[in-house]
Amino acid sequence: MKPISLTQFLIEQQREGRINADLRLLIEVVARACKRISIAVGKGALGGVLGSAGTENVQGETQKKLDVLSNEILLEANAWGGHLAALASEEMDDPHPIPDRYPKGEYLLVFDPLDGSSNIDVNISVGTIFSVLRCPEGVKNPDEKAFLQPGTQQVAAGYAVYGSSTVLVLTLGDGVHQFTLDREQGNFPLTHSRLRIPEDTSEFAINMSNMRHWEPPMRRYIEELLAGKTGPRGRDFNMRWVASMVADVHRILTRGGIFIYPRDLKDPGKPGKLRLMYEANPMAFIVEQAGGAATTGRERILDITPAQLHQRVPVFLGSKNEVERVTGYHLAADRAGEPA
Ligand code: AHM
Ligand code: MG
């Protein structure tokens, strides 16, 4: 049977009363923008888009040309449809208002336009991550404060991976669905419904080069995995690290695993590398909807009330039993009063 397209899927969701016309339009527009980004990424050196843009974002990171281009594509695509009240992005210091000449809608869109961008120039998968919130009632010109809602308030979240194929993974709060870009037809047929992350896994994803900066419970957990069959876990564990969160999370959604970017004492001012609002929250929503778990090592990610748009958090997500185990190690160390 021919798979249904993203458009059909969204219309069905609307008919079932799960989303309204504005949210349907929003997801369609984001998917269209992802298609354009996918085309730009796919051109590689031929598109003249590789390399640095020579600018820095608010986090002090050097922007790649494709970071800037992807951000512009998402901004432009979403400005005029009337479905948004404002947008915010990893690449912009402050929220971006909808220009006055366009109607405003009830949603807020937050995104990382090109996640894993250190991988662009070496032809490894990158992606886009997005999260949708409701604009608080009565707020006409949403500022940063309007965005500072816990992840439990997300009405939709998703990501695209620009890899050997381009996939779009989406949750509207009722399971996780995967669409694959048909490059000839230009649409996104539904290729997997109701993805489930196995509760157990023997695969972990972490940047091991930071090990000396980790907290003791974190080191304990990884040392036990590395000890393999003859260690306390009694089995061998495999490791994978793409250094693109989208690609690592997508592998976990496909075959299980645990992804960790822990708190790092290298820079005590930073409670983690990844950003809460446009990396951790949308991924946590997706992972929970697929039966997995997502914590900071101490608390559920989706329960955090953000204090800042670009706030960072430690991230532990994926197969439930592993996330619960390593979270338990952190909480036990805290209870025992172990120094960090
Ligand atoms: P980015 O949004 O600037 O690309 O940074 C986030 C990325 C994640 O995709 C990935 O998991 C992590 O940074 C990789 O970090 P590291 O360079 O320490 O391996
Ligand atoms: Mg990112």
Side-chain angles (χ1 to χ4, degrees):
M1 207 175 76
K2 203 170 155 247
I4 63 164
S5 65
L6 175 67
T7 301
Q8 276 171 287
F9 172 85
L10 292 172
I11 286 174
E12 281 172 15
Q13 296 293 309
Q14 188 184 342
R15 282 192 190 137
E16 286 164 21
R18 206 161 285 122
I19 57 173
N20 63 19
D22 275 0
L23 187 52
R24 172 165 68 88
L25 177 65
L26 191 164
I27 307 288
E28 286 265 22
V29 168
V30 170
R32 242 185 337 255
C34 290
K35 193 162 69 184
R36 285 188 58 198
I37 298 170
S38 171
I39 292 168
V41 169
K43 285 201 166 115
L46 301 178
V49 290
L50 300 186
S52 159
T55 46
E56 274 190 3
N57 65 13
V58 63
Q59 357 250 341
E61 299 158 345
T62 306
Q63 291 176 304
K64 301 273 185 183
K65 283 185 196 158
L66 267 172
D67 282 324
V68 176
L69 181 69
S70 306
N71 194 53
E72 279 167 7
I73 289 175
L74 278 155
L75 286 186
E76 197 218 40
N78 279 288
W80 47 272
H83 50 283
L84 286 183
L87 309 93
S89 156
E90 173 177 334
E91 303 303 337
M92 301 185 297
D93 302 12
D94 301 309
H96 182 86
I98 296 296
D100 283 339
R101 61 185 183 282
Y102 299 126
K104 286 202 183 95
E106 60 179 304
Y107 294 106
L108 301 172
L109 177 65
V110 202
F111 52 83
D112 177 355
L114 206 66
D115 180 58
S117 50
S118 70
N119 280 326
I120 295 169
D121 295 345
V122 288
N123 204 4
I124 292 174
S125 299
V126 288
T128 299
I129 312 173
F130 65 94
S131 156
V132 184
L133 296 160
R134 274 199 187 85
C135 187
E137 227 157 284
V139 175
K140 289 275 165 289
N141 296 303
D143 56 5
E144 177 173 2
K145 215 169 120 240
F147 284 82
L148 303 181
Q149 308 176 34
T152 47
Q153 299 300 309
Q154 293 172 102
V155 293
Y159 64 80
V161 188
Y162 313 117
S164 46
S165 60
T166 288
V167 297
L168 182 79
V169 170
L170 175 70
T171 184
L172 301 167
D174 180 38
V176 180
H177 310 281
Q178 182 185 320
F179 304 83
T180 304
L181 176 62
D182 181 328
R183 295 186 206 269
E184 278 81 48
Q185 305 286 333
N187 62 358
F188 280 98
L190 175 67
T191 41
H192 295 278
S193 267
R194 305 208 170 273
L195 292 167
R196 298 299 292 172
I197 300 175
E199 288 188 359
D200 290 298
T201 182
S202 295
E203 200 162 73
F204 64 101
I206 194 161
N207 182 346
M208 290 283 296
S209 71
N210 293 320
M211 191 162 188
R212 68 191 183 285
H213 303 296
W214 295 342
E215 296 178 273
M218 191 48 225
R219 277 208 297 274
R220 170 188 167 196
Y221 175 69
I222 294 294
E223 271 159 11
E224 287 182 5
L225 302 188
L226 295 177
K229 240 188 210 134
T230 53
R233 301 298 304 272
R235 66 181 200 273
D236 290 336
F237 284 79
N238 186 30
M239 196 192 92
R240 287 283 181 276
W241 184 248
V242 184
S244 277
M245 189 192 200
V246 276
D248 281 311
V249 171
H250 191 63
R251 184 187 59 255
I252 287 168
L253 220 63
T254 309
R255 68 177 190 210
I258 178 169
F259 170 94
I260 309 178
Y261 215 114
R263 188 168 153 217
D264 196 329
L265 303 177
K266 185 166 53 179
D267 183 350
K270 279 190 195 165
K273 175 174 183 186
L274 300 175
R275 276 58 51 114
L276 173 61
M277 295 213 59
Y278 40 82
E279 291 174 326
N281 266 346
M283 290 310 201
F285 189 20
I286 291 167
V287 163
E288 284 197 6
Q289 282 292 316
T295 75
T296 64
R298 292 179 163 89
E299 62 180 321
R300 184 182 176 218
I301 287 175
L302 294 181
D303 284 338
I304 300 172
T305 301
Q308 287 170 350
L309 185 58
H310 299 288
Q311 177 173 339
R312 296 173 192 262
V313 282
V315 174
F316 296 70
L317 59 78
S319 292
K320 206 173 177 165
N321 291 339
E322 288 305 312
V323 174
E324 281 174 3
R325 176 185 282 265
V326 66
T327 303
Y329 286 7
H330 283 76
L331 295 177
D334 290 352
R335 276 195 303 271
E338 278 178 25

